[in-house]
Amino acid sequence: MESTRYSTKVITYSFLLLLLLLSPIYLLSSSTYASSIFRNWTGLLSNEPNNSSNVSSLLTSKLRDSITFLPLKDLRFVKTPMEGHAWFMSSLNDTYMANEAEYLSFPSQATHGRLLCIKGRSRNDGSKNYYALAWPEALPESAIFPKGLTFVSDTYYDYTNLWHGLCAMAPFVGWSMRNGCLKPWRWVLFHWGEVRHRMGSWLQHLMEIRFGEVPVETFNGRDDSEPYCFERAILMRHNEGRMGRENRRRVFDLLRCKTRRFCGIDPAGR
């Protein structure tokens, strides 16, 4: 009787898993139930001590194999690169808050608990760099797992021009102010989906005044096939986007205040 009941479970779970794997693109963009199914299956099978480990490993392997990497820069939206979901990670929708810049958070309810994974290091063609979402329990093979908070930025302009760079960084300062002044462990910078290794000197010093010394991830020394899956990431891709005037003013006031303090300038002139 126990053997029959277990066989029925395995057949049922295998059928559901097959349905899940038939649509990898759907899995990337809107897998509402997949993560909970994974946990429920492994939880149910834990009652079978002799076989649960093997079945759990099989399910993890299948979920890992279903991960689909897509180009960071979607050439279908080359004429509207900054509009709507943008051409950078075009399958993902932004999170909106009133009078705040649009952003994406990983993992989150919107990503159904999945982490952001990035693969490739091209500095000339963003369509040759890739992204995917993956559950912590089933990261891609050979994945590198940077700990802590990562700030990921993509800008249509650049990080060397003073104004353009500041407009790209301001939303991160605003997000930090709303979230207990959290500081990143690293920056990941893109321009049109192409990897950038540094900010302009002025912008770098300004961000150091705000966040301390934070390295820029260059992805050097790693094989292009090895993805980086970040423990936690905040992504901005619209510069200031929908940030309201008052919120923008608070961000720039904070940066001005910290810069004056760092440079020993007394705003009262004394």
Side-chain angles (χ1 to χ4, degrees), residues 50-103:
N50 296 328
N51 299 285
S52 61
S53 178
N54 290 338
V55 176
S56 177
S57 297
L58 175 62
L59 295 176
T60 300
S61 177
K62 294 300 183 183
L63 284 175
R64 180 178 293 119
D65 292 342
S66 72
I67 297 170
T68 302
F69 279 89
L70 301 175
L72 278 179
K73 182 170 72 174
D74 191 337
L75 297 178
R76 295 176 301 170
F77 303 102
V78 68
K79 293 184 178 180
T80 55
M82 297 290 287
E83 297 180 13
H85 47 60
W87 66 351
F88 184 82
M89 298 191 189
S90 63
S91 71
L92 304 178
N93 294 319
D94 293 297
T95 296
Y96 296 93
M97 295 180 62
N99 298 314
E100 299 291 354
E102 308 92 306
Y103 70 97

Side-chain angles (χ1 to χ4, degrees), residues 10 66 112 156 196 229:
V10 171
S66 72
H112 311 295
Y156 187 79
R196 291 294 180 263
C229 296

Side-chain angles (χ1 to χ4, degrees), residues 57-189:
S57 297
L58 175 62
L59 295 176
T60 300
S61 177
K62 294 300 183 183
L63 284 175
R64 180 178 293 119
D65 292 342
S66 72
I67 297 170
T68 302
F69 279 89
L70 301 175
L72 278 179
K73 182 170 72 174
D74 191 337
L75 297 178
R76 295 176 301 170
F77 303 102
V78 68
K79 293 184 178 180
T80 55
M82 297 290 287
E83 297 180 13
H85 47 60
W87 66 351
F88 184 82
M89 298 191 189
S90 63
S91 71
L92 304 178
N93 294 319
D94 293 297
T95 296
Y96 296 93
M97 295 180 62
N99 298 314
E100 299 291 354
E102 308 92 306
Y103 70 97
L104 293 93
S105 178
F106 310 87
S108 64
Q109 184 176 359
T111 68
H112 311 295
R114 290 171 295 173
L115 309 184
L116 174 64
C117 299
I118 294 175
K119 181 169 66 174
R121 52 184 177 177
S122 175
R123 301 184 63 187
N124 304 305
D125 187 350
S127 66
K128 294 182 179 179
N129 296 324
Y130 302 90
Y131 73 101
L133 302 184
W135 287 280
E137 303 90 344
L139 297 179
E141 295 289 353
S142 72
I144 300 161
F145 186 61
K147 296 279 190 176
L149 174 63
T150 302
F151 280 172
V152 182
S153 172
D154 181 77
T155 180
Y156 187 79
Y157 303 102
D158 59 53
Y159 302 100
T160 55
N161 177 280
L162 300 184
W163 179 247
H164 290 163
L166 188 55
C167 288
M169 296 294 104
F172 292 102
V173 178
W175 182 91
S176 175
M177 292 170 65
R178 299 194 310 273
N179 290 273
C181 295
L182 287 176
K183 298 181 179 181
W185 289 31
R186 68 193 60 80
W187 293 97
V188 175
L189 305 178

Side-chain angles (χ1 to χ4, degrees), residues 8 10 14-15 47 55 67 150-151 190 196 201 203 223 256:
T8 302
V10 171
S14 298
F15 174 72
N47 295 324
V55 176
I67 297 170
T150 302
F151 280 172
F190 292 100
R196 291 294 180 263
S201 177
L203 183 64
D223 190 277
R256 278 193 293 267

Side-chain angles (χ1 to χ4, degrees), residues 28-63:
L28 178 64
S29 60
S30 58
S31 55
T32 307
Y33 304 105
S35 184
S36 60
I37 288 174
F38 172 78
R39 292 183 176 88
N40 289 339
W41 285 351
T42 54
L44 288 170
L45 290 171
S46 64
N47 295 324
E48 306 289 346
N50 296 328
N51 299 285
S52 61
S53 178
N54 290 338
V55 176
S56 177
S57 297
L58 175 62
L59 295 176
T60 300
S61 177
K62 294 300 183 183
L63 284 175

Side-chain angles (χ1 to χ4, degrees), residues 82 99-102 155 163-164 166-172 236-244 247-249 251-252:
M82 297 290 287
N99 298 314
E100 299 291 354
E102 308 92 306
T155 180
W163 179 247
H164 290 163
L166 188 55
C167 288
M169 296 294 104
F172 292 102
M236 305 285 183
R237 54 183 177 177
H238 295 283
N239 288 353
E240 292 173 319
R242 298 187 180 186
M243 184 182 291
N247 289 335
R248 188 183 296 115
R249 181 178 299 169
V251 167
F252 284 100

